[in-house]
Amino acid sequence: MSKLDIITLPDPILRQMCVPVERVDDALRRLADDMLEAMYEAPGIGLAAPQVGVSRRLIVLDVSEKDGEKNPIVMVNPEIVHFGDERRSYEEGCLSIPDVKVEIERPAGLTVRFLDRDGRAQQLMAEGLLSTAIQHEIDHLDGRLIIDYLSRLKRDIIVRRFKKQARTETA
Ligand code: NI
């Protein structure tokens, strides 16, 4: 079993603005590896540090095909420096909001800068699912969730459902 539990709505940590990572050291690499493990186990294609209770700017991703070779990506302090003109719509889910899907239109392509697992500066151009996943995970670092793309009414219904669920679980 994974060492990390994935935090779900309505935990307030999901709404916090995460602070930058100051140093890419062994402790951070361990956290990234544990996050990847939790993500694969879930299973999901991306996970952000606040989803495991750490309010830092760190995300992990792997959008490779299920049966293909793994392609884990670790991004420390990711920053989107360019968006393409085309847009793409995708039905997104989130490990912190189980069983909820939201159709979200986002830029189809982007360029992102980040530090890798070894603390080296990298720049990556992404399209398709990877572009969507990067934007979704960076949203998490800013306290933004997929339900924020819904109308207020629909969002409130979902939040209320999760609050009720959390109350029954702790009762
Ligand atoms: Ni998510």
Side-chain angles (χ1 to χ4, degrees), residues 105-133:
E105 193 192 280
R106 302 181 188 266
L110 57 79
T111 305
V112 60
R113 280 195 197 137
F114 59 98
L115 299 177
D116 67 15
R117 205 178 168 280
D118 299 310
R120 284 180 303 225
Q122 303 279 0
Q123 183 165 300
L124 177 80
M125 283 169 69
E127 281 184 351
L129 185 56
L130 183 58
S131 164
T132 297

Side-chain angles (χ1 to χ4, degrees), residues 46-48 51 92-97 136-137 140 144-146:
L47 194 65
Q51 293 180 277
E92 298 181 29
C94 180
L95 294 175
S96 293
I97 317 174
H136 175 120
E137 299 312 329
H140 273 296
R144 199 177 308 124
L145 301 170
I146 52 172

Side-chain angles (χ1 to χ4, degrees), residues 16-135:
Q16 281 175 22
M17 179 66 102
C18 296
V19 297
V21 171
E22 280 167 17
R23 223 180 27 236
V24 181
D25 54 13
D26 285 343
L28 189 90
R29 275 186 281 276
R30 214 169 306 130
L31 172 62
D33 291 343
D34 290 346
M35 282 170 59
L36 280 165
E37 194 188 314
M39 179 193 82
Y40 285 125
E41 192 184 286
I45 60 168
L47 194 65
Q51 293 180 277
V52 296
V54 179
S55 204
R56 299 257 160 199
R57 303 192 78 82
L58 165 68
I59 64 174
V60 297
L61 308 133
D62 189 342
V63 299
S64 57
E65 312 238 327
K66 264 191 200 107
D67 304 320
E69 217 166 287
K70 281 184 180 171
N71 182 26
I73 302 173
V74 174
M75 292 186 181
V76 179
N77 300 338
E79 206 181 320
I80 296 170
V81 292
H82 177 78
F83 283 116
D85 295 331
E86 271 175 57
R87 297 180 71 82
R88 171 181 192 266
S89 207
Y90 190 81
E91 199 172 62
E92 298 181 29
C94 180
L95 294 175
S96 293
I97 317 174
D99 303 320
V100 172
K101 294 260 195 244
V102 182
E103 178 98 22
I104 301 175
E105 193 192 280
R106 302 181 188 266
L110 57 79
T111 305
V112 60
R113 280 195 197 137
F114 59 98
L115 299 177
D116 67 15
R117 205 178 168 280
D118 299 310
R120 284 180 303 225
Q122 303 279 0
Q123 183 165 300
L124 177 80
M125 283 169 69
E127 281 184 351
L129 185 56
L130 183 58
S131 164
T132 297
I134 290 169
Q135 293 174 73

Side-chain angles (χ1 to χ4, degrees), residues 9-10 15 147-164:
L9 208 68
R15 290 310 197 172
I147 51 171
D148 299 345
Y149 293 85
L150 293 169
S151 68
R152 182 173 193 147
L153 181 71
K154 283 186 182 164
R155 181 168 68 237
D156 286 350
I157 290 169
I158 293 169
V159 171
R160 231 173 297 143
R161 193 168 86 216
F162 276 86
K163 277 187 180 159
K164 198 174 158 193

